[in-house]
Amino acid sequence: MASTSIRYFAINVEKNTFRRERITSQCRRFGIPLEIFKAITPATISEVDSDYSEARTRRHWGRPLMPTERACGLSHLSLWRRLLADDACDAYVIFEDDVEIQADLPEIISEILAPNVDFVKFSGQHARPKKLVKNLKEGRALFKLAYGPLDASAYLLTKRGAKDLLAYCVTLHGAIDVLMDRSYDHGVPVFAVQPYPVQSLECSDPASPLFTDIGVRTAKYAADNSWTDRWHVRINRFVSSTKKRLAELAL
């Protein structure tokens, strides 16, 4: 990806000016030419194409997605589609707007660009099995992960990566951060810069201006799932668990 052209976007709910001003200020500090992407909301879900099926998501996820979860996923999918149609750009860096940028991200990106690196996480919530790819400045390193670290708050995605991720995630048969993690399903290797240069500030306090726009998940499983749905969930989780173990061994 020599001479790669990159655009930077923050997904922001239009009415949340506090978050918009906060992340814009952070990006100015590091010279990041940030563009604001108007987030899809439950009120605008119908305006975006997707292959979402409540029945399928129940079988995979254990419950339907909340409207806010669908809207979040569609915001990411919309940016991936924009990237694929962007003739002037090779990759996007995508932020959710409740993050803390803690390092010079453009400088880090200049160190990690390579033909085989299509999907890089700059934040993560969980440790994963990993393999060192390259040592970077300031004590950081680029790693290849067995699968993703459960986070969609800050990442780089190339056109090649977007094509395969979109093909897998368009069904939204789970939360978008979980689907993005599943390199063993979508086939896009997940890389990560660690220590992470961006921190997710997901907040569960409704009184805070950083309170997550998705809201608090009320249940892991739907109470009205049929017994066939429940068995499908068990089978799918067993299959995913097996694939995770195989991905760890392959790493």
Side-chain angles (χ1 to χ4, degrees):
M1 292 199 313
S3 302
T4 298
S5 175
I6 297 174
R7 293 171 70 183
Y8 297 78
F9 289 90
I11 298 171
N12 170 255
V13 174
E14 188 174 31
K15 67 180 181 180
N16 198 325
T17 57
F18 175 86
R19 285 191 183 191
R20 183 162 61 250
E21 292 168 0
R22 185 178 181 280
I23 194 165
T24 298
S25 175
Q26 292 182 65
C27 286
R28 279 199 301 266
R29 175 187 171 196
F30 291 106
I32 296 172
L34 185 69
E35 301 176 58
I36 298 297
F37 176 81
K38 182 180 175 180
I40 309 302
T41 67
T44 59
I45 282 176
S46 62
E47 300 174 11
V48 184
D49 291 336
S50 76
D51 191 25
Y52 175 76
S53 162
E54 178 177 312
R56 177 174 52 216
T57 303
R58 282 177 180 272
R59 293 192 298 269
H60 282 270
W61 190 238
R63 60 170 176 80
L65 293 186
M66 297 186 298
T68 48
E69 290 174 309
R70 286 181 62 194
C72 176
L74 289 172
S75 294
H76 287 272
L77 297 183
S78 297
L79 276 170
W80 302 350
R81 289 190 177 108
R82 180 180 293 192
L83 170 58
L84 291 174
D86 192 337
D87 294 333
C89 204
D90 304 301
Y92 284 0
V93 171
I94 298 173
F95 300 105
E96 294 183 341
D97 62 2
D98 56 345
V99 299
E100 184 74 40
I101 303 172
Q102 299 176 332
D104 188 338
L105 210 54
E107 175 64 23
I108 291 172
I109 290 171
S110 71
E111 294 185 78
I112 64 174
L113 297 179
N116 65 331
V117 177
D118 293 303
F119 184 29
V120 184
K121 293 292 189 79
F122 298 123
S123 64
Q125 297 182 32
H126 296 289
R128 302 300 193 203
K130 61 187 180 183
K131 179 172 67 176
L132 177 66
V133 175
K134 181 181 180 181
N135 287 310
L136 309 174
K137 298 176 184 176
E138 305 297 331
R140 288 188 167 84
L142 178 68
F143 295 92
K144 183 178 181 181
L145 306 184
Y147 41 88
L150 193 61
D151 195 274
S153 295
Y155 60 94
L156 177 145
L157 186 64
T158 70
K159 280 185 174 174
R160 183 170 63 178
K163 181 179 179 181
D164 291 337
L165 268 186
L166 184 61
Y168 176 70
C169 296
V170 69
T171 57
L172 288 178
H173 53 282
I176 191 65
D177 53 351
V178 173
L179 298 184
M180 290 167 65
D181 271 3
R182 295 179 173 175
S183 52
Y184 46 80
D185 280 334
H186 54 63
V188 184
V190 180
F191 294 84
V193 172
Q194 296 179 354
Y196 289 115
V198 179
Q199 180 184 0
S200 173
L201 301 178
E202 186 173 325
C203 175
S204 58
D205 178 6
S208 170
L210 289 173
F211 177 63
T212 173
D213 291 320
I214 294 176
V216 178
R217 295 183 175 97
T218 56
K220 188 174 183 180
Y221 301 103
D224 61 345
N225 272 5
S226 68
W227 70 268
T228 54
D229 286 338
R230 294 174 188 272
W231 274 108
H232 275 294
V233 170
R234 290 182 182 181
I235 292 168
N236 284 321
R237 291 182 185 275
F238 174 77
V239 170
S240 291
S241 179
T242 301
K243 288 180 176 179
K244 283 183 179 181
R245 301 299 173 262
L246 292 174
E248 292 172 11
L249 291 173
L251 187 67

